[in-house]
Amino acid sequence: MDLNLTPEEFAFRDEVRTFLRASIPPAIKRKVDLGLKLVKDDYVVWQRILHERGWIAPGWPKEYGGPGWSPVQRYLFEEELAAASSPRLITFGLKMLGPVLIEFGTEAQKQRFLPRILASEDWWCQGFSEPGAGSDLASLTTRADRDGDHYVVNGQKTWTTLAQYADWMFALVRTSNEGRKQQGISFLLIDMKTPGVTVRPIKTLDGGQEINDVFLENVKVPAENLVGRENDGWTVAKFLLGHERFGIAGVARSKKQMDRLRDIAARETKRGRPLIEDARFRERMAEIEIELTALEMTELRLLSDEAAGRKPGPEASILKLKGTQVQQGITELLLEAVGNRAHVFDPGILEDDWPGAANDGPAIPEYAATVASHYFNWRKASIYGGSNEIQRGIIAKAILGL
Amino acid sequence: MDLNLTPEEFAFRDEVRTFLRASIPPAIKRKVDLGLKLVKDDYVVWQRILHERGWIAPGWPKEYGGPGWSPVQRYLFEEELAAASSPRLITFGLKMLGPVLIEFGTEAQKQRFLPRILASEDWWCQGFSEPGAGSDLASLTTRADRDGDHYVVNGQKTWTTLAQYADWMFALVRTSNEGRKQQGISFLLIDMKTPGVTVRPIKTLDGGQEINDVFLENVKVPAENLVGRENDGWTVAKFLLGHERFGIAGVARSKKQMDRLRDIAARETKRGRPLIEDARFRERMAEIEIELTALEMTELRLLSDEAAGRKPGPEASILKLKGTQVQQGITELLLEAVGNRAHVFDPGILEDDWPGAANDGPAIPEYAATVASHYFNWRKASIYGGSNEIQRGIIAKAILGL
Amino acid sequence: MNFTFSDEQILIRDMAERFFRDDYGLEARRRHQALPGGFCRDTWARFADMGWLALGIPEDLGGVGGGAVETAILLEAMGGGLAVEPFLSTVVLGGTLISEGASTEVRADLLPGLAAGDLLLSFAYSEAQSRHDLNDVRTTARADGGGFVLDGVKTVALHAGTADRIAVTARTSGAERDAGGITVFLVDAGAPGVTVTDYPTVDGLRAGDVTLDGVRVGKDAVLGEVDGGLDLAERAVDRAAALAAAEAAGIMAALTRGTVDYLKQRRQFGRPLGDFQALQHRAAEMYVETELTRSLAYMAAVRQDGGDPATARRAASQAKAKAGQAGRLIGQEAVQLHGGMGVTDEMPVGHYFKRLTMIDHSFGDRSYHLERLTDMA
Amino acid sequence: MNFTFSDEQILIRDMAERFFRDDYGLEARRRHQALPGGFCRDTWARFADMGWLALGIPEDLGGVGGGAVETAILLEAMGGGLAVEPFLSTVVLGGTLISEGASTEVRADLLPGLAAGDLLLSFAYSEAQSRHDLNDVRTTARADGGGFVLDGVKTVALHAGTADRIAVTARTSGAERDAGGITVFLVDAGAPGVTVTDYPTVDGLRAGDVTLDGVRVGKDAVLGEVDGGLDLAERAVDRAAALAAAEAAGIMAALTRGTVDYLKQRRQFGRPLGDFQALQHRAAEMYVETELTRSLAYMAAVRQDGGDPATARRAASQAKAKAGQAGRLIGQEAVQLHGGMGVTDEMPVGHYFKRLTMIDHSFGDRSYHLERLTDMA
């Protein structure tokens, strides 16, 4: 047990830090720092920079283009990404489909899709949730009927994040109604340009537009786009949802948000003094820092297990559950920090090219403009990717045996 | 809507206050103020004083010996009782069995038992819980078999509060195994001196001894001691558990405990100043006072409904649920207030005649001696009389229709 | 002592609930928000017709009497109805300032118009540095001839953009955070030197920043006492805090109801969500917290009318602090229990959640009121 | 960087867990409590045999080396075993003070005895007025000839009644709450003028008040620097705080396990309690909080050995504050989920609950450590 970095780990961190800080485009950094809307191009530009350096897929095996890092190196990379104000890397291809294809894909599928994921040439979205199948994912009803060398897909997916940018969707579809509902599900890759695919945006409570309905009407999908065996998609889905614990706690980003909170609290005033000098506010910051540190140490314990060869287990549910609580706790403190400026809504922040708080605009400093939207928007964190209720159920059943 | 007292209410309150403060024996008051152990005699002496004044059973109809007070008067009386450091009045006869007999008892039962309850001549205990039937009360198995003009009772009751003092027990027993488990239960009055009744104390985690196992072995109970009809005891039990909302929130006593907390916080020091001047501690006191005030106002709303003729409904679950949370919250603050003196355990406080903290004893002031025991002991409040889980279930089902 | 509504109060409640159930709703709200000024003038006129704007105004000035409890009843209904109209700013803040601070002439001049729906008001007491403290005033009012000249910038004044008159706090003497030396002025929104930057708020209402650049007002613009305006301003804001707690209670009740309905209707794992005990218990907590907030809100309303000022202040802070804590819990739980539907713009839950959240940040947030209670006790 | 136990550490853990599973337990604990001094000398000798008392002591002084992580592993097991022996007071507090503060001669004189189980220690730093602050010292030490004369009363010193030597903080200069001017002395428990009032604590351990009435000690009784003892005292207490968090984590794990077992076995309404989702979710929270506390406890242990003092202090406070919050939650939930059984003296749950609660009130409670973090940041 040693919490200090080795000299090699120090050197690695410095190398990563230097590169990331020098390479991130300032316009993208500004958007991330202020919590502004990022558009497709922002993500793609940045991901290609990382790809060129060979760092876009830290979790992939070396033979498929991963950098071959140890868990500690991956942890340090996540830290430095966040510290450098990197946008979140879009996970659908890199952390979800990529590993799935490496595990279950045919050689042809791997050769066709993996390089394009690494190069951010294809934007993937995830077609899992349906209007009638949220937390109870296996009750999905989108149908894929085999017709010669094609499947014909009919149904509706919802809550499909950033589908408006997507070239492809990986989807769970029902190919059989026999047996338990988990049986009869298949994992299919769908070209979003296929006739019959319609994307309709869903406006969220913060005014943003990240999620969508995707309607699938007689969509013809070549049978070669089946991943794994027909009717065995649940196995693929479980692998996808369970295999990746890196980053699901969001520790590095929460640390960055704590920096932001400290920065804002230093600018805001209370009774004529900087808010950050207020003992009560500091205590609430200390409380959340305890939770964040506990979360980080727990993540490190699990990573150490993994480095020692243990398979990822249901303990990762702690990371998702507590991670979102910490993230949401920080958004609450940010909201409180800006006082009654929290009311001010500048619709411009939802636009791609917000110039910043105009001098003659409402009395909201640039740093405060997105705080309320962020608080509202981030309630989704404890709902998606397995809600906190689902995570508690996993812990109760898979760990405690209840 | 008027939160001020009318002149008549003021006069009533003054009358009650004057009498209670003049009448409470100082030795009893001291025990209550310090949270020391009360023995049977303490309760009986005090209850007889109230009985002589005609105030022992505020909830009873006038014709049975109640004072005929309005809900507001009863509320004021509870307030003044607590403020005068009255022991809790023992509820088994006064608030449980009394109203049951008035509603369901035969004339002979009323004449025999009610006057003795008023005069504290009989001490009653409650024989409901069993080792296998806690929150799921209706699954009780203690059997009463009819044998001529008697029942023969066999089984075990547990968690029987103050059974060691009891002359009589009212018990739920199974007289039939047919139908739903709620059917086949009868409500029986058992003389504790009957052969076959054995009381065994259960030590609680605070070291005290308030609860007991009661073993019933071939106990002969005259059939005339059946209350209500045979196999209809569940109706009686539901009436007993549901009819009394006065005082279940414990508002008056919690106010008294807040006074005690303020007193202790004024004596304890932090960084060379009285603890009560510490902003962080004050804030925690303010938080709990908000909850206590909210609880009190909610109780008043419900009492006003009752005064206006509405029947008590499931809303009373709020009072029990929140009432115990407030009480337990105060015990937490008391524990924190005394700092590391909380460790000190003086077994003498469990004795009847504790002389007070001796000058050459451990460095614990008299006011702090019972604080930790009280914290531990009071965890029971959210378990007995319908646990908080049961109360949430009642709210979800009976109020929200879930 | 009693906690029951009078027949008249029940009438007000039933009428208001009926109005918001039948004639308002999420679609109407969206339409109102899109109108100039961000609310519906016709609806405002109906408020006037129903006597809602006349509450608290004496009958000889066009009012209907009544007090804070009646207003709380209305606001609870408005919470459930998600109203966007400038009721708190005009009737509660503005109305209180004029009723308690204005001369007989000014009252007679303005209150009938307020009651009739012809006069819209705003109270601009906040400044960029002031956080929730009313005594932190940099805006100055310099005596000049018989009147005053006002200079400064006030921020986040509710419905300032549509107000005909704007009450402002300004410093007539003393240093920035002194309790003394503050005066409340009623300024014509169209007066030379007054600029209002109007903007939407995140909860779908409107607010504005008010710039005062050498604005000249007469002596008759003073509400309350010169240099002694802080108490008047705090009374008005305390009243708004108490009544906002009632609005919050109305929202909480709507969210609890909506969540329970959703749990009953939505099926997962082969049965309604409402069958899951963990969710039942959480819905029960929402209900309990709603009732506790409601109790304190009405207590606070009662305490705002007459009686001991310290009691009124404490009651307002208790109710508002409770509304902040319970509102956060209930809002977050409602969204969480609605799952993915909870974060969409389509369902009412998100709109309730936003309004409830912003009530916490209006008239002093939970932290502010807790600290105030701590200082007070 | 890694967070894995070495093979040797795993050995220590397995041995300790086996000992407490096979050779300890609630009945043994009751027996030990009833013995003179409130613990079992034979068990203490076994602790010595197993090398537990030699942890942190150099090999040439009879020790086995090792550091805070090994000690945390032991304490986690002791938490699960509900041990009543004076390990924290003798090995952690006393051992640290001597190892870090004593002269080479005194260390060579005392540490072998400590490792062998022949020397019991206590650290009396608390006074009636001091709450959790180590700098609040009224006990005086007056220089006299080559030595000092000590006067004062120390309170709630863990296991003072059985200690052979008692370390005390006393003021050699400065005013009551000054950080400077405090000196740590190691006093013979049998020295003239030393009186120990020994009493049980609510969690089944023992503590004592120590009266010093003109107690004469030599210069060699000083641990650390004259007037500069606060830092040494705080290091010892911080180490105890960090390791008490590990003990707390062990208790939390035992409570979570015990509660889960109870939920599986106890039937209500025709099925095991463990089938009820609301209870499942609460058990899951207990598990999560246990793991978070354990993570911080080991972090804090690692940080106590060498490295930056501010980092060590912060880590100790974070772990102890977390143990306080999580301990309260888990202890209360365990009792509640055990229902009526939870408040009896018969089941282990109540004893775990009491010990866990009192850990919060040892070495600074949650409020103290939060405030310290607040002052520090």
Side-chain angles (χ1 to χ4, degrees):
Chain A
M1 195 167 286
D2 184 353
L3 297 179
N4 297 313
L5 298 183
T6 63
E8 294 73 29
E9 288 164 350
F10 260 120
F12 173 81
R13 191 186 68 181
D14 287 345
E15 181 195 355
V16 168
R17 181 176 294 178
T18 306
F19 175 80
L20 293 178
R21 298 198 177 177
S23 310
I24 187 146
I28 294 178
K29 180 178 187 311
R30 171 175 174 272
K31 284 188 178 183
V32 172
D33 286 341
L34 295 175
L36 298 173
K37 188 190 175 196
L38 291 152
V39 293
K40 184 171 183 174
D41 229 35
D42 297 323
Y43 294 107
V44 170
V45 163
W46 174 234
Q47 291 186 177
R48 288 191 177 152
I49 292 171
L50 292 176
H51 175 50
E52 270 166 47
R53 189 68 182 78
W55 292 351
I56 190 64
W60 291 22
K62 225 169 163 177
E63 68 259 41
Y64 291 105
W69 288 337
S70 71
V72 170
Q73 286 177 311
R74 291 185 59 188
Y75 165 80
L76 294 172
F77 183 69
E78 290 276 347
E79 288 267 291
E80 294 303 323
L81 265 186
S85 305
S86 162
R88 293 163 198 275
L89 305 188
I90 298 300
T91 56
F92 304 110
L94 293 166
K95 291 195 166 181
M96 296 179 168
L97 182 64
V100 158
L101 290 179
I102 290 169
E103 181 83 11
F104 298 97
T106 63
E107 204 45 43
Q109 286 170 340
K110 290 178 188 174
Q111 292 199 5
R112 177 173 175 200
F113 293 114
L114 292 181
R116 296 181 60 84
I117 290 174
L118 289 173
S120 298
E121 283 167 6
D122 290 336
W123 186 294
W124 285 86
C125 67
Q126 179 188 40
F128 279 19
S129 293
E130 297 185 2
S135 285
D136 182 12
L137 185 56
S139 66
L140 59 89
T141 59
T142 292
R143 244 174 49 229
D145 302 310
R146 186 69 180 250
D147 180 19
D149 57 353
H150 280 79
Y151 290 97
V152 180
V153 181
N154 279 286
Q156 183 192 341
K157 295 292 173 181
T158 191
W159 249 66
T160 316
T161 304
L162 297 179
Q164 71 267 38
Y165 296 157
D167 305 297
W168 284 85
M169 166 194 273
F170 54 88
L172 292 177
V173 295
R174 186 158 297 287
T175 39
S176 163
N177 284 309
E178 282 166 39
R180 289 171 48 245
K181 63 185 174 182
Q182 283 80 4
Q183 295 162 345
I185 291 174
S186 298
F187 191 100
L188 218 53
L189 310 179
I190 302 175
D191 187 335
M192 295 291 280
K193 291 179 294 294
T194 320
V197 177
T198 314
V199 175
R200 194 190 68 181
I202 300 172
K203 206 169 142 193
T204 46
L205 83 173
D206 60 319
Q209 198 262 296
E210 279 189 343
I211 60 176
N212 302 270
D213 283 319
V214 178
F215 300 92
L216 302 157
E217 204 180 347
N218 293 322
V219 178
K220 281 183 73 174
V221 179
E224 68 199 42
N225 289 1
L226 176 73
V227 178
R229 279 170 308 171
E230 193 176 271
N231 296 333
D232 199 24
W234 192 247
T235 306
V236 181
K238 276 200 302 186
F239 171 85
L240 183 151
L241 294 171
H243 101 286
E244 180 61 277
R245 55 174 47 160
F246 264 95
I248 63 172
V251 166
R253 271 162 218 287
S254 286
K255 284 184 180 176
K256 179 83 178 172
Q257 289 296 308
M258 284 302 295
D259 290 341
R260 186 179 175 207
L261 176 61
R262 271 184 288 267
D263 176 56
I264 290 180
R267 296 163 183 241
E268 289 285 330
T269 54
K270 177 178 167 188
R271 299 192 175 177
R273 309 278 314 153
L275 176 62
I276 200 166
E277 295 177 12
D278 182 65
R280 300 162 69 251
F281 197 80
R282 289 172 76 87
E283 182 164 321
R284 284 201 289 284
M285 290 201 297
E287 284 181 305
I288 209 147
E289 269 176 334
I290 290 172
E291 298 303 296
L292 177 53
T293 308
L295 180 68
E296 180 178 23
M297 293 301 141
T298 304
E299 186 176 36
L300 285 172
R301 277 172 56 204
L302 295 175
L303 292 185
S304 295
D305 284 352
E306 203 162 316
R310 238 189 93 196
K311 272 227 144 190
E315 294 81 7
S317 285
I318 303 177
L319 303 181
K320 171 68 166 64
L321 179 63
K322 198 70 200 178
T324 56
Q325 287 171 348
V326 167
Q327 292 153 31
Q328 291 175 338
I330 298 172
T331 65
E332 282 184 22
L333 282 187
L334 280 165
L335 187 64
E336 179 174 338
V338 301
N340 70 357
R341 303 167 202 266
H343 286 82
V344 183
F345 181 59
D346 181 347
I349 60 166
L350 298 171
E351 303 305 321
D352 180 24
D353 53 354
W354 188 57
N359 284 339
D360 58 348
I364 187 162
E366 198 168 75
Y367 63 76
T370 59
V371 161
S373 291
H374 190 56
Y375 170 76
F376 294 127
N377 179 250
W378 213 243
R379 302 312 306 172
K380 71 183 180 194
S382 50
I383 295 170
Y384 68 26
S387 70
N388 285 0
E389 289 73 29
I390 292 288
Q391 305 302 336
R392 286 193 197 95
I394 291 173
I395 291 168
K397 291 192 170 68
I399 300 179
L400 303 179
L402 284 169
Chain B
M1 195 167 288
D2 184 352
L3 297 179
N4 298 314
L5 298 183
T6 63
E8 294 74 27
E9 288 164 348
F10 260 120
F12 173 82
R13 191 187 68 179
D14 288 345
E15 182 195 357
V16 168
R17 181 176 294 180
T18 306
F19 175 80
L20 294 179
R21 297 198 176 177
S23 310
I24 186 147
I28 295 178
K29 180 178 186 315
R30 172 175 174 273
K31 284 188 178 184
V32 172
D33 285 342
L34 295 176
L36 299 173
K37 187 191 176 195
L38 292 153
V39 293
K40 184 169 182 173
D41 230 35
D42 296 324
Y43 293 107
V44 170
V45 164
W46 174 235
Q47 290 186 178
R48 287 191 178 151
I49 292 172
L50 292 176
H51 175 49
E52 269 167 48
R53 188 70 183 76
W55 291 353
I56 190 63
W60 290 22
K62 224 168 165 176
E63 68 260 41
Y64 292 103
W69 288 337
S70 71
V72 170
Q73 286 177 310
R74 292 185 60 190
Y75 165 80
L76 294 172
F77 182 67
E78 290 275 348
E79 288 266 293
E80 294 303 324
L81 265 187
S85 305
S86 162
R88 292 161 198 276
L89 304 187
I90 298 299
T91 55
F92 304 110
L94 293 166
K95 291 196 167 180
M96 294 179 169
L97 183 64
V100 158
L101 290 179
I102 290 168
E103 181 83 11
F104 297 97
T106 62
E107 202 48 41
Q109 286 170 340
K110 291 179 186 172
Q111 292 198 5
R112 177 173 174 199
F113 293 113
L114 292 180
R116 297 181 58 85
I117 291 173
L118 289 173
S120 298
E121 285 167 5
D122 290 335
W123 186 294
W124 285 86
C125 67
Q126 179 189 40
F128 280 19
S129 292
E130 297 185 4
S135 285
D136 181 12
L137 185 57
S139 65
L140 60 90
T141 60
T142 292
R143 243 173 51 229
D145 301 310
R146 187 68 180 252
D147 179 22
D149 57 354
H150 281 77
Y151 290 97
V152 179
V153 181
N154 279 285
Q156 182 193 341
K157 295 292 175 181
T158 192
W159 250 66
T160 316
T161 303
L162 296 178
Q164 71 265 40
Y165 297 157
D167 304 298
W168 284 85
M169 166 192 274
F170 54 87
L172 293 177
V173 295
R174 185 157 299 285
T175 38
S176 163
N177 285 308
E178 280 166 42
R180 288 172 48 245
K181 62 186 175 182
Q182 284 80 3
Q183 295 162 347
I185 291 173
S186 297
F187 191 100
L188 217 53
L189 310 179
I190 303 175
D191 187 335
M192 295 291 277
K193 290 179 296 295
T194 322
V197 177
T198 314
V199 175
R200 194 190 67 180
I202 300 172
K203 207 169 140 192
T204 46
L205 83 172
D206 60 318
Q209 198 261 296
E210 279 189 344
I211 60 176
N212 302 271
D213 283 318
V214 179
F215 299 92
L216 302 158
E217 202 180 348
N218 293 321
V219 178
K220 282 183 73 173
V221 179
E224 70 200 43
N225 288 2
L226 175 74
V227 179
R229 278 169 308 170
E230 193 177 271
N231 296 334
D232 200 25
W234 192 247
T235 307
V236 181
K238 276 200 302 186
F239 171 85
L240 183 151
L241 294 171
H243 101 286
E244 179 62 278
R245 56 173 44 160
F246 263 97
I248 64 171
V251 166
R253 271 162 219 286
S254 286
K255 284 185 179 174
K256 179 82 178 172
Q257 289 296 309
M258 284 302 295
D259 289 343
R260 186 179 175 209
L261 176 62
R262 272 184 288 267
D263 176 55
I264 290 179
R267 295 163 184 242
E268 289 285 330
T269 54
K270 178 179 167 188
R271 298 192 173 176
R273 308 279 314 155
L275 176 62
I276 201 166
E277 294 178 14
D278 181 66
R280 300 163 69 250
F281 197 80
R282 289 171 76 88
E283 182 164 319
R284 284 200 289 284
M285 290 200 298
E287 284 181 304
I288 209 147
E289 269 177 334
I290 290 172
E291 298 304 296
L292 177 54
T293 308
L295 180 68
E296 180 178 24
M297 293 301 141
T298 304
E299 185 176 37
L300 285 171
R301 277 172 56 203
L302 294 175
L303 291 184
S304 294
D305 285 353
E306 203 162 316
R310 234 188 96 196
K311 273 229 147 190
E315 294 81 8
S317 285
I318 304 177
L319 303 180
K320 171 68 166 63
L321 178 64
K322 199 71 201 176
T324 57
Q325 286 171 347
V326 167
Q327 292 153 33
Q328 292 175 337
I330 297 172
T331 66
E332 282 183 23
L333 282 186
L334 281 164
L335 188 64
E336 179 175 339
V338 300
N340 69 358
R341 304 167 202 267
H343 286 81
V344 182
F345 180 58
D346 181 346
I349 59 168
L350 298 171
E351 304 305 320
D352 180 24
D353 53 354
W354 188 57
N359 284 339
D360 58 349
I364 186 160
E366 198 168 73
Y367 62 76
T370 58
V371 160
S373 292
H374 190 56
Y375 169 76
F376 294 127
N377 180 250
W378 213 242
R379 302 312 306 172
K380 72 184 179 193
S382 50
I383 295 171
Y384 68 26
S387 69
N388 284 1
E389 290 71 31
I390 293 288
Q391 305 302 336
R392 287 193 196 95
I394 292 174
I395 291 168
K397 292 190 169 67
I399 300 179
L400 303 179
L402 283 169
Chain C
M1 183 170 63
N2 76 81
F3 227 116
T4 40
F5 289 142
S6 68
D7 290 346
E8 198 178 340
Q9 289 168 339
I10 291 174
L11 216 65
I12 293 175
R13 186 193 63 191
D14 291 350
M15 179 169 74
E17 288 182 354
R18 198 173 329 114
F19 174 79
F20 285 106
R21 190 180 58 237
D22 298 343
D23 297 353
Y24 217 86
L26 202 51
E27 282 320 304
R29 186 184 203 247
R30 287 192 215 273
R31 281 197 309 276
H32 296 184
Q33 285 176 300
L35 293 169
F39 72 97
C40 171
R41 302 257 172 187
D42 291 345
T43 300
W44 190 250
R46 289 191 62 188
F47 284 12
D49 288 346
M50 293 185 283
W52 294 356
L53 310 183
L55 271 176
I57 297 176
E59 294 184 25
D60 59 337
L61 294 175
V64 298
V69 173
E70 286 75 13
T71 315
I73 290 169
L74 267 188
L75 271 159
E76 193 184 342
M78 288 183 186
L82 267 179
V84 294
E85 280 64 30
F87 188 88
L88 273 170
S89 60
T90 296
V91 178
V92 177
L93 288 170
T96 303
L97 290 172
I98 292 171
S99 294
E100 300 196 10
S103 66
T104 315
E105 296 74 39
V106 173
R107 295 172 72 230
D109 183 27
L110 296 180
L111 292 179
L114 199 168
D118 300 329
L119 178 70
L120 296 174
L121 300 168
S122 178
F123 183 23
Y125 56 88
S126 180
E127 299 185 0
Q129 82 293 343
S130 68
R131 205 160 188 84
H132 303 289
D133 290 329
L134 269 69
N135 60 314
D136 194 331
V137 176
R138 286 186 186 164
T139 296
T140 56
R142 181 169 44 82
D144 184 72
F148 296 86
V149 181
L150 278 61
D151 286 281
V153 181
K154 313 299 283 192
T155 58
V156 198
L158 278 177
H159 297 287
T162 45
D164 302 302
R165 307 269 185 124
I166 302 172
V168 299
T169 49
R171 193 156 279 295
T172 34
S173 70
E176 182 181 323
R177 302 181 40 77
D178 288 354
I182 292 168
T183 307
V184 182
F185 296 92
L186 191 61
V187 178
D188 199 311
V194 177
T195 319
V196 179
T197 311
D198 168 67
Y199 45 83
T201 57
V202 291
D203 53 352
L205 277 60
R206 311 282 305 182
D209 297 343
V210 181
T211 304
L212 304 159
D213 184 8
V215 177
R216 293 186 172 275
V217 296
K219 234 174 26 191
D220 58 344
V222 172
L223 297 176
E225 303 295 319
V226 172
D227 282 351
L230 181 61
D231 189 56
L232 174 65
E234 289 202 327
R235 277 208 309 284
V237 174
D238 278 348
R239 196 178 184 89
L243 295 168
E247 184 185 349
I251 296 175
M252 293 176 200
L255 279 173
T256 303
R257 222 168 26 237
T259 301
V260 167
D261 288 346
Y262 183 79
L263 292 178
K264 286 179 187 169
Q265 156 246 312
R266 171 85 169 165
R267 296 180 69 86
Q268 296 264 278
F269 305 103
R271 46 189 180 137
L273 280 180
D275 279 7
F276 289 89
Q277 193 201 27
L279 308 188
Q280 289 178 359
H281 283 193
R282 286 161 68 178
E285 284 294 330
M286 291 171 70
Y287 170 78
V288 170
E289 291 296 308
T290 300
E291 291 305 314
L292 294 173
T293 305
R294 175 180 280 147
S295 299
L296 285 182
Y298 280 100
M299 173 194 80
V302 171
R303 299 290 191 211
Q304 297 314 302
D305 281 339
D308 172 42
T311 305
R313 198 175 310 134
R314 168 190 298 273
S317 279
Q318 287 193 319
K320 191 62 172 48
K322 179 70 192 171
Q325 167 264 323
R328 191 175 297 188
L329 175 91
I330 290 170
Q332 293 178 355
E333 284 287 79
V335 170
Q336 183 74 21
L337 295 179
H338 272 81
M341 297 305 293
V343 296
T344 66
D345 187 70
E346 289 163 35
M347 301 268 293
V349 51
H351 300 275
Y352 280 121
F353 173 48
K354 288 195 282 185
R355 176 69 192 132
L356 189 51
T357 303
M358 296 327 293
I359 286 177
D360 183 24
H361 296 277
S362 308
F363 319 122
D365 63 10
R366 168 170 167 80
S367 293
Y368 169 83
H369 284 288
L370 267 183
E371 188 159 15
R372 199 170 178 231
L373 288 165
T374 297
D375 292 346
M376 214 181 273
Chain D
M1 184 169 64
N2 77 80
F3 226 116
T4 40
F5 289 143
S6 67
D7 289 345
E8 200 179 340
Q9 289 168 340
I10 290 174
L11 215 65
I12 294 175
R13 186 192 63 193
D14 291 349
M15 180 169 73
E17 287 182 356
R18 196 173 331 114
F19 174 80
F20 285 106
R21 189 181 58 238
D22 298 343
D23 297 353
Y24 217 87
L26 201 51
E27 283 320 304
R29 185 182 204 248
R30 286 192 216 274
R31 280 197 311 275
H32 296 183
Q33 286 175 303
L35 294 169
F39 72 96
C40 173
R41 300 256 171 186
D42 290 345
T43 299
W44 190 250
R46 288 191 64 189
F47 284 15
D49 287 346
M50 293 185 284
W52 294 356
L53 310 183
L55 272 177
I57 297 177
E59 295 184 24
D60 58 337
L61 295 175
V64 299
V69 172
E70 285 76 13
T71 315
I73 290 171
L74 267 188
L75 271 160
E76 194 183 342
M78 288 183 187
L82 267 178
V84 294
E85 281 62 31
F87 188 89
L88 273 170
S89 60
T90 295
V91 178
V92 177
L93 288 170
T96 303
L97 289 172
I98 291 172
S99 295
E100 299 196 10
S103 65
T104 315
E105 296 75 36
V106 173
R107 294 172 72 229
D109 183 28
L110 296 180
L111 292 180
L114 200 168
D118 300 329
L119 178 70
L120 296 175
L121 300 168
S122 178
F123 183 22
Y125 55 87
S126 179
E127 300 185 0
Q129 82 292 342
S130 68
R131 209 164 186 82
H132 303 289
D133 290 330
L134 269 70
N135 60 315
D136 196 330
V137 176
R138 286 186 186 163
T139 295
T140 55
R142 181 170 44 82
D144 183 74
F148 297 85
V149 179
L150 278 62
D151 285 279
V153 181
K154 312 300 284 192
T155 58
V156 200
L158 278 178
H159 298 289
T162 46
D164 302 301
R165 308 269 184 124
I166 302 173
V168 300
T169 49
R171 193 156 279 295
T172 34
S173 71
E176 183 180 324
R177 300 182 40 76
D178 287 355
I182 293 169
T183 307
V184 182
F185 296 91
L186 191 62
V187 178
D188 198 311
V194 176
T195 320
V196 179
T197 311
D198 167 66
Y199 45 82
T201 57
V202 291
D203 53 353
L205 277 60
R206 312 281 304 180
D209 297 342
V210 181
T211 304
L212 304 159
D213 184 9
V215 177
R216 291 183 174 278
V217 297
K219 231 170 33 186
D220 57 345
V222 172
L223 297 176
E225 304 293 319
V226 172
D227 281 351
L230 182 61
D231 189 55
L232 174 64
E234 290 203 326
R235 277 208 310 283
V237 174
D238 278 349
R239 195 177 184 91
L243 295 168
E247 184 185 349
I251 297 175
M252 293 176 200
L255 280 172
T256 303
R257 221 168 27 236
T259 302
V260 167
D261 288 346
Y262 183 79
L263 292 178
K264 286 179 186 170
Q265 157 246 313
R266 171 86 171 167
R267 296 179 69 86
Q268 296 263 280
F269 304 104
R271 45 187 181 139
L273 281 180
D275 279 7
F276 290 90
Q277 192 200 30
L279 309 188
Q280 289 178 0
H281 283 194
R282 286 161 69 178
E285 283 295 329
M286 292 170 70
Y287 170 79
V288 169
E289 291 296 307
T290 300
E291 291 305 313
L292 294 172
T293 304
R294 176 180 279 148
S295 300
L296 285 182
Y298 280 100
M299 173 194 79
V302 171
R303 298 291 191 209
Q304 298 313 302
D305 282 338
D308 172 42
T311 306
R313 198 175 309 133
R314 169 191 296 274
S317 279
Q318 288 193 319
K320 190 62 172 48
K322 179 71 192 173
Q325 166 264 323
R328 190 175 298 187
L329 175 90
I330 291 171
Q332 293 178 355
E333 284 288 78
V335 170
Q336 183 73 22
L337 294 179
H338 272 82
M341 295 306 292
V343 297
T344 66
D345 187 67
E346 290 162 34
M347 300 268 292
V349 50
H351 300 275
Y352 280 121
F353 173 48
K354 288 195 282 186
R355 176 70 191 133
L356 189 52
T357 302
M358 296 326 293
I359 287 176
D360 184 25
H361 296 277
S362 308
F363 319 122
D365 64 9
R366 170 171 166 79
S367 294
Y368 169 83
H369 285 288
L370 268 182
E371 187 159 17
R372 201 171 177 229
L373 288 166
T374 298
D375 291 346
M376 215 182 274

